[in-house]
Amino acid sequence: MRAGIGTALGNILWLTIKELRVLRADPVLLLLVAYTFTAAVYTVATGVKTEVRNAAVAVVDEDRSGLSRAVVAALLPPLFQPPVPLAPAEVAPALDAGRFVFVLQLPPRFESDLLAARPVNLGLDVDATAMAQAGNGAAYIQQIVQSTVAERLGSPPSPIELVIRLRFNPNGLPEWFTSVMQVMNSTLILSIILPGAALLREREHGTLEHLLAMPVTPLQILLAKIGANALVIVTAAILSLLLVVRGLLGVPIAGSVPLFVVGTMLFQVSVAALGVLLATMTSSTGQFGLLALPAFILMMLLSGSMTPLESMPGWLQHAVQVLPTTQFVAFAQSVLFRGAGLDIVAPRLAALAVLGVLFLGGAYLRLRDTLAS
């Protein structure tokens, strides 16, 4: 009994070493792993922004009073570029040409009408092709106008003052969220691609038949392929988290990194098994890519890393709980952002373990039948 277990573990170890050597000999895959967890994380975190940053704004000032000039002067970086003065006839051509996202129009007698307590209508033209920036920027401009008018002309004190506290991201920096989410998305993509590609590479090169001639079982082959690629991907993800996210981008990690490693390993088992399962359904690397692409895109979109789960229909919120990405994103956000301990994330870890067993079992049965045929 013990000799059989020792032999099986030895087979898995040598098969894992073989997989690592094959990966080391493939510079394209190594470059893909390195790029995905370094340059891709940094560029997405710093370059992909939906909030208002450096937005182009123009102002039609038909009042030219002290108050109107104060409103124009309050449109400051980093939210907005220096305001560009426009004539009323230039507004439509400028928006048609895409020169500005916002055009604020201050009417004649703007200050005098406010001093006389007469109603004043301001115009704000918005290029809404950038939807998130348009909505947030319009709200910012409205707040700037209101606060500037209140400061210059005075306003009665409000009986209620709302004090806002931002937890887990006190400065509201999007890099804190997007960088960590990019690490998780990269982990998902490579965890599906690498094991599946490794299996197809064996088939295309004719070395799968050599493995079948050896005293190894389909389960040992499956565990070796998952284990070798998981070792590489988890190591790259942790280095990315420590060196790129925390070191280069300055994002603090609130929770336990070892706890995050445990959750990542459980997540690896399920999605890597899914990659092998998809590979057994195809006959070439091209077919595998076409099948894997919609799989991980759908899993990313429904995981909560891009859109909140609360914005989805109720039935869909319950349905996506069976996806390992949904459980992993909730687990990672709790650990890395909120500093949650094992007592809080234990249900997520249990769900990842169950899903891992199910996906691993499905991949094993499919791989066994494929090898037998």
Side-chain angles (χ1 to χ4, degrees), residues 324-348:
T325 46
T326 304
Q327 300 293 335
F328 181 60
V329 166
F331 159 81
Q333 289 179 346
S334 297
V335 173
L336 300 178
F337 292 149
R338 306 183 188 98
L342 180 61
D343 55 329
I344 296 178
V345 298
R348 300 290 183 183

Side-chain angles (χ1 to χ4, degrees), residues 94-177:
L95 289 172
D96 291 340
R99 292 173 52 200
F100 303 102
V101 180
F102 307 98
V103 177
L104 177 63
Q105 301 188 44
L106 303 174
R109 300 181 302 278
F110 170 54
E111 183 175 13
S112 61
D113 286 346
L114 286 176
L115 291 173
R118 289 190 291 267
V120 176
N121 293 322
L122 275 66
L124 180 62
D125 294 288
V126 182
D127 181 356
T129 52
M131 293 179 58
Q133 191 180 51
N136 295 335
Y140 290 152
I141 292 176
Q142 184 178 10
Q143 293 175 3
I144 290 171
V145 172
Q146 291 175 345
S147 61
T148 304
V149 170
E151 180 183 350
R152 297 276 299 192
L153 305 183
S155 62
S158 173
I160 299 176
E161 182 179 358
L162 181 64
V163 179
I164 300 175
R165 300 186 184 91
L166 299 178
R167 300 190 62 185
F168 316 122
N169 189 356
N171 294 322
L173 299 176
E175 296 89 342
W176 287 27
F177 177 79

